Amino acid sequence: MDRKLIRPGSIEDVLSEREKYGKDALPIAGGQSLLVLLRNKLIDPIALIDLENVRELHRLETEADTLSIGAMTTIHALSSSPDVRRAAPVLGQAASKVGSTAIRNLGTIGGNLCHNELGADLPPALLALNGVAEVRSKKGARKVPLGQFFRGYFETVVGPEELLCRVDLPKLPANASGIYLKHAISSEDLAIVGVAVILVPDGKKPRSVRDIRIALGGVAPVPFRAAKAESAIGGAALSAEAIREAGEIAASEAEPMTDPHGSAEYRRKMIKVLVRRAITTAIEQAERSSNGQA
């Protein structure tokens, strides 16, 4: 079958093609995931909609108190952007751990999220940042908190007539600190366990937090926030015992699978280790910042 390649120049043109073809046409961004599926004959669309020429999707800018990231922003751009380093450093950390240099140069934030592969690095960071996706169709736009964006393995809320256009990140408190940690077979592999932590110190009581966010990837059908662990530790003094308990609770919230890279039990143990390590590192960052250290 001769597959049609469509090169629209605007979001409206993309949405017209999405409405025309529905599930028979797929958007192609960097192609890092889609081309693999095509090559292995796992998908067979009638047409591909190339998003490269849609300028609006390439925007990465600060609007008021929000960092707005177009869906065609490359992963390399996320890891090297001064705006990302300033407003959402944990996202830059996660982006720097994605695959190889070639993958980071071509892969995009939109493709990474919509492919929703188990162990992807960006989703935990974006969940911890309270990211909100803007999804459009010819009928209009809708805002989807990323906690509601992922539905299952390789599945999201984006419908066959829709397009993920951007991700908005609300401004973090000035004294927030965060870290993304990843455990993988090699640095270029998907995460066996990925953990993003953002915390906001209390500012009045030593080693206490006003807000803490813990997001996990690679340990359930979809990336998620460990809400019970967050509730258990939020507002508490972060003693070694409290941090250990947060790791235990986060592990209990996961639904890890067993595969050739590791058993479900191994993944649970690594959640405990990485959550403890991430919280401890974030606390140390906050303490250095409050003391005026780099």
Side-chain angles (χ1 to χ4, degrees), residues 106-290:
L106 292 171
T108 64
I109 185 173
N112 189 276
L113 293 179
C114 289
H115 188 53
N116 190 25
E117 189 166 9
L118 186 71
D121 295 299
L122 299 189
L126 292 166
L127 283 167
L129 289 162
N130 288 338
V132 177
E134 181 181 278
V135 179
R136 294 192 209 173
S137 72
K138 292 291 284 185
K139 297 176 182 177
R142 60 189 178 115
K143 299 284 190 177
V144 183
L146 286 184
Q148 302 168 19
F149 184 83
F150 307 103
R151 280 190 169 171
Y153 292 115
F154 300 104
E155 184 182 4
T156 71
V157 299
V158 180
E161 296 184 1
E162 292 184 311
L163 180 71
L164 170 61
C165 293
R166 70 185 198 185
V167 177
D168 292 333
L169 304 178
K171 185 178 180 179
L172 287 169
N175 59 342
S177 64
I179 187 75
Y180 174 73
L181 299 179
K182 168 183 179 177
H183 175 60
I185 299 299
S186 76
S187 60
E188 296 185 0
D189 286 328
L190 292 162
I192 295 174
V193 179
V195 175
V197 166
I198 290 176
L199 63 81
V200 181
D202 179 88
K204 298 177 181 179
K205 297 179 288 184
R207 295 181 74 83
S208 293
V209 295
R210 188 170 76 247
D211 181 31
I212 187 164
R213 309 170 194 172
I214 304 169
L216 305 179
V219 293
V222 297
F224 68 97
R225 287 274 292 274
K228 293 179 181 178
E230 292 176 351
S231 296
I233 202 170
L238 296 182
S239 64
E241 178 58 25
I243 295 171
R244 185 198 65 77
E245 182 181 2
E248 296 280 345
I249 295 172
S252 73
E253 295 180 74
E255 301 175 34
M257 63 184 291
T258 293
D259 65 14
H261 299 302
S263 67
E265 183 58 29
Y266 176 72
R267 284 179 163 89
R268 287 193 193 278
K269 289 180 179 178
M270 290 309 303
I271 292 170
K272 298 174 188 179
V273 171
L274 292 186
V275 168
R276 291 199 303 266
R277 190 175 298 167
I279 293 173
T280 301
T281 303
I283 295 168
E284 292 170 351
Q285 285 181 359
E287 290 175 340
R288 287 196 300 270
S289 179
S290 66

